Amino acid sequence: MAVKIRLARLGAKKAPFYRIVVMDSKKARNGEYVDLIGTYNPVKEPAEIKIDAEKAKHWISVGAQPTDTVRALLKKNSVIE
């Protein structure tokens, strides 16, 4: 099972809100996830990012691959270099 850290979209039309989740790469974007590690709200100014750094580091250490967008969010919050 290939595990990814990626965004799951919530919120209304033209008002996105995202959960940062760990899930199987073959599941649907908003499908069942293994673990919820944070949230991202790009609508607020400045964008609101909440990430559980311990969970994120744990999942990366066991082989979960973050997507490009999530990798940028993790770098912005100094979770990874």
Side-chain angles (χ1 to χ4, degrees), residues 48-65:
E48 181 181 346
I49 305 167
K50 295 181 184 176
I51 298 175
D52 185 342
E54 293 300 317
K55 281 186 180 181
K57 288 178 183 177
H58 165 74
W59 281 108
I60 291 171
S61 71
V62 296
Q65 295 295 314

Side-chain angles (χ1 to χ4, degrees), residues 33-53:
Y33 56 85
V34 178
D35 197 6
L36 172 67
I37 63 171
T39 59
Y40 170 53
N41 187 357
V43 176
K44 288 195 174 186
E45 195 58 45
E48 181 181 346
I49 305 167
K50 295 181 184 176
I51 298 175
D52 185 342

Side-chain angles (χ1 to χ4, degrees), residues 59-73:
W59 281 108
I60 291 171
S61 71
V62 296
Q65 295 295 314
T67 60
D68 293 338
T69 305
V70 172
R71 180 173 281 121
L73 293 174

